[in-house]
Amino acid sequence: MINWLRIGLIVIILSVVTLVLLPFQLLALRFDWRLRRRLPRWWHRIACYMLGIRIRTHGRIEARRPLMLAANHASWKDILVLGAVADVAFIAKAEVADWPVFGLLAKWQKSVFVVREQKRRTGDQVNEIADRLAGGEIIVLFPEGTTSDGNRLLDVKSSLFGAAAAAVASAPDGVVYVQPVSIAYTGIYGMPMGRYHRPIAAWPGDVELVPHLLGVLKAQAIDVDVDFGEVVEFRAETNRKVAGATVVSRLRAQLQRRLYRRAG
């Protein structure tokens, strides 16, 4: 009974917060005010607090711009976590726009929806991301392209870093910075989280959303470590495949270090 009362309270509070912030966010989107980048961060912080997601950050987000963050992707909670620590916009699969609740939130945060199967649209999508980067926005890329079990980094394609390379021409100093950011779910109920409990935090694609969401709401306390790694610079003469592979290598290494360190 207590769990259901808590879940009901969370839903009510988040609904009220959303209704209060939404008119301001819609105006900010309509007139392209900088406020549209900041309001989602407040919402994400409140959402993390209500869900019991406790965030520990290690290192610092790169101060130079343009900046793309390349992060591993274990769950929809990654959106809340990164949205709570920085004013970011996300690159999302096109189908996310049609998801209930999550699709609306993604649109209100002005996510970039990409259709990877339609190559004829790739150029327009890359240009949009490049323009947003050149405009000073921090864009988050999940190079795995899907969610994982939270225990490892899936295979990625360096072609997904094409937007960073495309933004170089518009960058003030001719450099686009790509920073690997690992998100590791490391604790639950105040105890270290191992492989057994990580499915509560992670959301692989074959797990139904509603039961998973209820499990998260009942968990009450999930610890997550966010590590900001060493930046990789993309310049006009940079080999995109090599630079992308470097980003992925650093991301995989820092994720494994964090998971194994906590698992011991």
Side-chain angles (χ1 to χ4, degrees), residues 24-78:
F24 298 100
Q25 181 66 2
L26 292 177
L27 282 173
L29 287 170
R30 173 66 178 81
F31 296 104
D32 199 26
W33 296 337
R34 293 182 64 87
L35 183 65
R36 71 171 174 79
R37 307 180 190 177
R38 299 172 185 166
L39 282 179
R41 187 174 185 181
W42 301 347
W43 189 93
H44 286 130
R45 284 182 172 180
I46 294 171
C48 285
Y49 177 80
M50 294 304 303
L51 292 173
I53 299 174
R54 300 181 295 196
I55 305 170
R56 293 184 290 256
T57 59
H58 310 273
R60 295 183 179 180
I61 190 168
E62 175 61 47
R64 294 170 293 182
R65 303 290 182 271
L67 175 64
M68 173 181 282
L69 302 181
N72 61 294
H73 197 17
S75 168
W76 52 269
K77 293 181 290 299
D78 303 337

Side-chain angles (χ1 to χ4, degrees), residues 94-154:
E95 53 264 35
V96 172
D98 298 322
W99 289 1
V101 181
F102 292 104
L104 283 174
L105 293 173
K107 291 175 182 176
W108 292 339
Q109 196 166 350
K110 204 174 181 181
S111 298
V112 181
F113 298 104
V114 297
V115 185
R116 291 172 181 161
E117 294 78 13
Q118 298 181 16
K119 292 186 177 181
R120 69 179 185 277
R121 295 184 56 184
T122 300
D124 292 338
Q125 293 167 164
V126 166
N127 289 337
E128 179 184 355
I129 298 169
D131 289 343
R132 299 272 294 273
L133 285 168
E137 292 190 61
I138 304 172
I139 303 294
V140 176
L141 168 69
F142 295 115
E144 292 165 289
T146 186
T147 52
S148 71
D149 60 7
N151 292 309
R152 60 197 172 98
L153 183 71
L154 302 178

